[in-house]
Amino acid sequence: MDITTIAVVGAGNMGHQIAICAALAGFRVTCTDTSAAMLDKASAFADTYLAERVRKEKLTQQAADQTLASLAFVPTIETAVADADLVIEAIIEKLDIKRTLFAQLDKLCPAHTILATNSSYIVSSNIADATARPDKVCNMHFFNPALVMKLVEVVKGPHVSDETVDAVMNAARKMGKTPVLLHKEIYGFLVNRLLQATRQEALKLLDMGVASPEAIDTAVMNGLGYPMGPFQLLDLTGIDLAYHVGMEKYRETGDPADRPSPTVVEKFIKGEWGKKVGKGFYDYEQ
Ligand code: 3HC
């Protein structure tokens, strides 16, 4: 199956960048969100981002114009997904909300449409049975910032057809990404399992009062050669996301070790969710 039209549901941290990426690669793209403010912000970001690429001579004006012409931010989900060959869901990490959305997408989309989730942790077999097309429901996991990071994890759950996997891998390649295929479903896939190990230890060291976020980030960047420290990365990906993911895992396993760390809970309650709100472990200009 040849994918030409993509709908991204959710214009947040990940969704708006996935949409711009797809439009830059020549797909026809719609991006929708229940929040008009998020859509406005995403649309303004696309204008600024593409203008900046032209200014930096990384993109021609013609390519920027074409990208904007093939990218629509639309408030109604019915319109957004009506012609999609592939829907990429990038909404909040709550299983019940995702299941409701996928049941709705199943009714709204053409029969051939592949429904992919960008979930960071939730495997698609927990969602696929909310639809009548489980063979066309899979994980397609991008990394933050999606315009920059090359990796996409594609997960072949037992319900997913080979045709779906091939189409999604090809779409990722066309987007300029490097897809990797997981042959088994596993919570957190590859990268987030590895990331979580570093992050948990960093939060533990902070909660124990061993060192500041700045010192731990400096240690990880200079001692391990990572481009960013764990606290800078938490601010980038969102402390709210870390909180919701931790709570989902805790609900699933009941293991207190899976609960979000006290620091993450405190920051979540205070609304200090990271870069997108101007404050997390660090302060940012808005
Ligand atoms: N959005 C779009 N583009 C961005 C960006 C952003 N938020 N931040 C940086 N860029 C672009 C810049 O425009 C620049 O592009 P150019 O070289 O083509 O002009 C390029 O990235 C480099 O930017 P900078 O020189 O400003 O900054 P750095 O060299 O420090 O790179 C970074 C910034 C790419 C974010 C780098 O620090 C990095 O790779 N950090 C690690 C990110 C990471 O680990 N991501 C994975 C997170 S885990 C995850 O996503 C899991 C998921 O489930 C949530």
Side-chain angles (χ1 to χ4, degrees):
M1 178 190 163
D2 200 17
I3 290 168
T4 59
T5 307
I6 295 180
V8 180
V9 181
N13 235 6
M14 296 298 294
H16 76 283
Q17 291 216 359
I18 295 171
I20 298 169
C21 233
L24 275 165
F27 292 98
R28 276 192 298 123
V29 183
T30 52
C31 179
T32 187
D33 199 290
T34 49
S35 156
M38 289 296 276
L39 276 184
D40 287 347
K41 197 171 160 191
S43 173
F45 176 85
D47 292 342
T48 313
Y49 175 78
L50 293 170
E52 184 62 9
R53 300 305 284 167
V54 173
R55 194 192 63 75
K56 282 186 177 174
E57 297 184 350
K58 304 250 171 166
L59 199 66
T60 64
Q61 186 60 55
Q62 192 192 9
D65 292 343
Q66 266 168 9
T67 303
L68 282 177
S70 56
L71 175 61
F73 293 93
V74 291
T76 47
I77 191 166
E78 290 81 357
T79 316
V81 304
D83 297 323
D85 300 319
L86 167 67
V87 176
I88 304 172
E89 166 272 313
I91 65 164
I92 191 167
E93 289 285 60
K94 288 201 170 162
L95 179 58
D96 52 341
I97 300 180
K98 287 190 194 286
R99 286 181 62 87
T100 305
L101 173 66
F102 273 70
Q104 187 188 14
L105 289 171
D106 190 36
K107 295 205 168 61
L108 294 175
C109 293
H112 74 277
T113 308
I114 293 173
L115 307 178
T117 173
N118 177 54
S119 174
S120 299
Y121 289 88
I122 301 170
V123 295
S124 74
S125 58
N126 287 342
I127 303 173
D129 65 349
T131 76
R133 61 179 91 193
D135 59 312
K136 296 189 178 70
V137 178
C138 73
N139 290 91
M140 183 182 194
H141 181 217
F142 294 79
F143 293 82
N144 193 337
L147 280 160
V148 181
M149 303 302 284
K150 292 285 180 219
L151 187 68
V152 172
E153 291 173 323
V154 178
V155 186
K156 186 175 178 349
H159 54 285
V160 186
S161 70
D162 290 339
E163 291 73 28
T164 297
V165 168
D166 288 348
V168 170
M169 296 283 284
N170 284 336
R173 284 189 198 101
K174 190 175 161 191
M175 286 171 81
K177 301 299 184 196
T178 306
V180 291
L181 179 62
L182 278 72
H183 301 279
K184 274 188 183 171
E185 292 193 322
I186 187 162
Y187 183 88
F189 320 125
L190 302 178
V191 171
N192 274 332
R193 292 180 75 89
L194 297 166
L195 174 65
Q196 198 60 12
T198 319
R199 181 173 283 180
Q200 287 298 90
E201 195 57 27
L203 283 161
K204 192 166 138 196
L205 291 167
L206 178 68
D207 288 339
M208 286 164 69
V210 175
S212 67
E214 291 85 349
I216 297 170
D217 281 346
T218 303
V220 169
M221 284 189 287
N222 292 281
L224 295 175
Y226 287 19
M228 264 183 172
F231 297 102
Q232 290 169 327
L233 195 52
L234 266 164
D235 276 0
L236 178 71
T237 54
I239 292 160
D240 54 330
L241 175 66
Y243 173 83
H244 287 307
V245 162
M247 289 307 289
E248 278 291 337
K249 186 159 188 210
Y250 177 50
R251 263 193 286 275
E252 199 175 298
T253 65
D255 181 350
D258 289 331
R259 250 199 307 240
S261 93
T263 304
V264 167
V265 174
E266 188 190 319
K267 290 210 164 284
F268 176 75
I269 291 168
K270 281 190 186 160
E272 294 176 5
W273 293 355
K275 207 167 177 182
K276 63 186 165 191
V277 296
K279 189 168 178 58
F281 289 99
Y282 298 87
D283 291 328
Y284 303 87
E285 274 180 30
Q286 281 292 61

